[in-house]
Amino acid sequence: MGDPNLWTEILRANDLASITDVRPGMELVIPATQVAAANRALRQALQAIRRATEEGARLFAAEQIEASLRLYEEGVARRKAGDWDTAASLAGDATTAALAALETATAQRDAAAEARLSDRTGSVEGRRPQDLAWSDRPLGAMLIEEEKVRTLSLSSAQITFRDDSRLRLSANSQAVIQRMRVDPLGRKEEAKVSLVEGDFYALLSGRSERRSFELEVPEARTDIESRNFWVRRDASGAKFTNYDDRTLDVAANGAAVTLGRNEGTLVRTGQAPSGKIGVLSATRLTAPADDGETPSPDVELSWAPLADADGYWLELAVDPAFQRLAASRWGLKDEHFWTDPLPVGTYYWRVAGLDKFGLPGERSTVWRFHVRVDRTPPFLSIGEPAEGAILRSDAIRVEGEIEPGARLSLNGTVVEVGADGRFATSATATRLGENVLTLVATDAAGNLTERTRSFRYEPDARAILRFDDAIPRLGPGRFVTGGDVISLAGATDVGTRLLVRAADGAVRATTHADDTGRFALNLPLAAAEEAFTVEVVQPSGFSSREQFAVVQKRDPPAITLEEPPPAVTAVERLPLRGRAEGARSLTMNGRPARLIGYAFDEAVTLHQGENTLELVATDIVGNVRVERFEVGLDQNPPELVGYRVTPFQARAGEPVWIEVTARDASGLRKAAPFRLRVGDKEIADFLELGTGGAYHASLPLPAGAAGRVRLLEVEVEDYVGNKARFTPDK
């Protein structure tokens, strides 16, 4: 079908969604007839457009020839889209429009003496004799006598005369069309152009019968027979180069020089022309290849270095006659140039070397290239390994086929591909279990097709089985639980199956490892201690075994204290020492207590009044033992409620009755020392505690003791050591 990128059209013609749907033995419909018809119609349209252009259609039938070109380009686009019938129809319309343009151009060639702005890039301005200011000149503008034309930076303009002779003004140039005359009966024409500044390239038509083309350059006179020459005017003077076998005569300041083919001369300001200067020979273009294709709109043009070249002049056009430029760059220093993004189409280019005088040398051979932006990703098919394959070896063979000419990478590494697009290479499994191969095909346009292929690497090796550290255990491989079921979890190889068997061989529980290798199961228990075997079966069928045991523990830890805490105390800090046998953790009033082995040594700060002490011991499987104690803190001394001494006046030998009443939260001690004064004698003794918190004493007075009775001091003490000394009479 003439285009390697049309393989998608074969899929479409056969209602296939992907290249992978194609199978050996399948009959395929090839839309060759429609393709051939569309191509034939497009070729005929292009021939008609070229013929009309050669007869001056761009000048005298511009709208018709542009319409023909537009229809042709639309037809090319529809061809690339696979719409063959529409492409052929548009090509026929383009042929019709081109033939109409040809007829119009033929009829009007001799109808006007104007020239036409047939091509422009950048900014191009004109100024007619009656105009006061410069104004923009659109493409196709008609130019008259005495009209000035100028180009600005990075701009160019092509002036085409009625006989298809052309002047190409480069950037920053200005010229005046001084005279244009036509004799329709004698078919003779005359033209005179004045170059004010800058440069232009002249290509005069060989079909015209004009007698001469006059060129006016300040300080120089010319006599032109040449049909192909270049001239430049700047502050230093003028420069001329002839590329034709016909001569170009240049005279100035009393001297003259005749330039033959590929010869140039310099006319310095106020001086005679220099001798003939041979221009540089043509350079050789290197890339892109002549008539080659590029899938990218950004194209790098390159050429061979030219000895003695001080720079290069590159011209890029959309037609072989260089009447429509896409770019013109003067003074390039490097032997390559990147274009701006170019639309899809065919382009022509040439390069000339610039010598040290700035004279352009011979132009290179014209090459052409085709921009065909390819947005269709290349096809890529993987034959081996099969999707989801289970492989025993870590060395993996990878085979398949891609679009010929495309590049291929496997997990980022470049793979060598045969001329027919087939490839065969090897890879290495990077991990046990699931592995993924990523293949990327990249065509010359940078389009990507990515395919992945998954497989499992399961070597015949013992699987690693790890139970989580959080599972309670009494030792290696000896788990413990407080219930009739134990929950086990851990990690092993991805996709592995686990079977837990009791001592009699019966399967007690089963599970599978997930895609991360994790597993979990609940194992019912039938005895206080059981031995189990877990069978680990890999996806490949290879199995291994591990043993473990499970112990049921139901009794909570036992808490014993070295000394029981007192019911009441006057000391705020109460030490508690003891053991919590079998405990993993211990808390005292909700605060973690430190265990050394099973021993603990803690202290509790009491507050005034009753204090509840709670010890909670928890073993490895969660069995709990709670012990509570009540301890009172009493730091207040006893309180005197009242007292009584009788009689108030005592006689010698008469007994004295003393009663003191006190109270205390922790209880009073049985005896309370006191001091009594009778008259001038002082007596000390002890009161004895009776019921109701009252102390009593009946004291017989010694001989000589008589008079007033006063209770000087009583000291009362509670059971935790708090004392209060009272002086009632004071």
Side-chain angles (χ1 to χ4, degrees), residues 445-620:
N447 300 305
L448 300 179
T449 296
E450 181 175 312
R451 297 271 190 271
T452 59
R453 181 54 48 93
S454 300
F455 66 91
R456 294 189 62 82
Y457 172 46
E458 302 292 349
D460 291 339
R462 186 183 185 89
I464 298 175
L465 180 65
R466 294 186 301 273
F467 290 99
D468 289 348
D469 293 337
I471 302 173
R473 66 194 73 194
L474 300 176
R478 187 174 171 81
F479 303 115
V480 61
T481 181
D484 296 327
V485 176
I486 185 171
S487 296
L488 300 176
T492 184
D493 295 344
V494 173
T496 298
R497 185 185 182 202
L498 286 81
L499 298 90
V500 181
R501 300 181 185 274
D504 60 359
V507 176
R508 191 76 63 85
T510 64
T511 189
H512 277 85
D514 62 17
D515 56 4
T516 65
R518 295 288 303 167
F519 70 87
L521 59 85
N522 291 324
L523 178 63
L525 304 173
E529 182 171 351
E530 284 191 271
F532 294 94
T533 299
V534 56
E535 184 178 358
V536 184
V537 183
Q538 297 180 357
S540 63
F542 185 80
S543 65
S544 58
R545 289 173 174 79
E546 300 276 354
Q547 275 79 37
F548 65 91
V550 179
V551 176
Q552 296 186 58
K553 187 177 185 302
R554 300 183 184 276
D555 297 329
I559 300 176
T560 57
L561 297 175
E562 290 183 2
E563 295 182 3
V568 63
T569 180
V571 181
E572 291 184 359
R573 188 171 178 81
L574 176 66
L576 290 177
R577 299 182 182 89
R579 293 178 64 80
E581 294 292 337
R584 168 176 277 188
S585 64
L586 177 69
T587 63
M588 184 175 294
N589 287 350
R591 176 176 58 83
R594 182 184 180 192
L595 284 174
I596 302 176
Y598 296 131
F600 63 89
D601 184 352
E602 296 288 325
V604 179
T605 300
L606 304 176
H607 58 81
Q608 186 69 27
E610 289 297 322
N611 292 264
T612 300
L613 306 183
E614 183 181 76
L615 291 173
V616 180
T618 306
D619 67 12
I620 193 171

Side-chain angles (χ1 to χ4, degrees), residues 34 40 80 93 174 217 409 427 459 469 544 555 638 668 693 714:
Q34 298 94 317
R40 184 169 54 255
K80 289 187 175 294
D93 294 342
Q174 179 180 335
V217 179
S409 67
D469 293 337
S544 58
D555 297 329
L668 299 171
V714 178

Side-chain angles (χ1 to χ4, degrees), residues 277-606:
I277 301 173
V279 300
L280 297 177
S281 58
T283 185
R284 177 177 54 84
L285 307 184
T286 57
D290 188 21
D291 208 27
E293 294 184 3
T294 173
S296 172
D298 303 306
V299 183
E300 183 182 20
L301 307 176
S302 60
W303 53 93
L306 192 62
D308 300 326
D310 195 54
Y312 299 93
W313 178 21
L314 177 141
E315 290 180 293
L316 175 66
V318 297
D319 65 300
F322 287 80
Q323 297 195 52
R324 291 186 297 157
L325 289 187
S328 178
R329 295 293 185 270
W330 179 280
L332 296 175
K333 295 300 182 183
D334 297 321
E335 286 79 22
H336 65 89
F337 174 75
W338 280 97
T339 71
D340 293 331
L342 299 174
V344 173
T346 299
Y347 295 85
Y348 303 82
W349 65 295
R350 61 190 178 189
V351 177
L354 304 176
D355 65 14
K356 61 182 180 180
F357 303 110
L359 298 177
E362 295 183 60
R363 286 180 172 83
S364 66
T365 302
V366 175
W367 277 15
R368 70 176 179 180
F369 62 89
H370 311 279
V371 175
R372 295 181 178 175
V373 179
D374 180 9
R375 293 185 172 87
T376 302
F379 69 82
L380 169 59
S381 176
I382 304 173
E384 290 186 18
E387 181 66 27
I390 299 177
L391 305 176
R392 302 288 199 274
S393 172
D394 63 350
I396 314 301
R397 183 168 178 79
V398 184
E399 295 182 356
E401 184 177 0
I402 68 170
E403 180 178 302
R407 301 184 304 277
L408 179 67
S409 67
L410 170 60
N411 291 343
T413 302
V414 176
V415 175
E416 184 176 350
V417 179
D420 59 355
R422 297 185 180 276
F423 63 88
T425 186
S426 61
T428 302
T430 58
R431 51 178 288 183
L432 293 174
E434 192 74 16
N435 284 258
V436 177
L437 300 175
T438 300
L439 290 97
V440 178
T442 308
D443 62 17
N447 300 305
L448 300 179
T449 296
E450 181 175 312
R451 297 271 190 271
T452 59
R453 181 54 48 93
S454 300
F455 66 91
R456 294 189 62 82
Y457 172 46
E458 302 292 349
D460 291 339
R462 186 183 185 89
I464 298 175
L465 180 65
R466 294 186 301 273
F467 290 99
D468 289 348
D469 293 337
I471 302 173
R473 66 194 73 194
L474 300 176
R478 187 174 171 81
F479 303 115
V480 61
T481 181
D484 296 327
V485 176
I486 185 171
S487 296
L488 300 176
T492 184
D493 295 344
V494 173
T496 298
R497 185 185 182 202
L498 286 81
L499 298 90
V500 181
R501 300 181 185 274
D504 60 359
V507 176
R508 191 76 63 85
T510 64
T511 189
H512 277 85
D514 62 17
D515 56 4
T516 65
R518 295 288 303 167
F519 70 87
L521 59 85
N522 291 324
L523 178 63
L525 304 173
E529 182 171 351
E530 284 191 271
F532 294 94
T533 299
V534 56
E535 184 178 358
V536 184
V537 183
Q538 297 180 357
S540 63
F542 185 80
S543 65
S544 58
R545 289 173 174 79
E546 300 276 354
Q547 275 79 37
F548 65 91
V550 179
V551 176
Q552 296 186 58
K553 187 177 185 302
R554 300 183 184 276
D555 297 329
I559 300 176
T560 57
L561 297 175
E562 290 183 2
E563 295 182 3
V568 63
T569 180
V571 181
E572 291 184 359
R573 188 171 178 81
L574 176 66
L576 290 177
R577 299 182 182 89
R579 293 178 64 80
E581 294 292 337
R584 168 176 277 188
S585 64
L586 177 69
T587 63
M588 184 175 294
N589 287 350
R591 176 176 58 83
R594 182 184 180 192
L595 284 174
I596 302 176
Y598 296 131
F600 63 89
D601 184 352
E602 296 288 325
V604 179
T605 300
L606 304 176

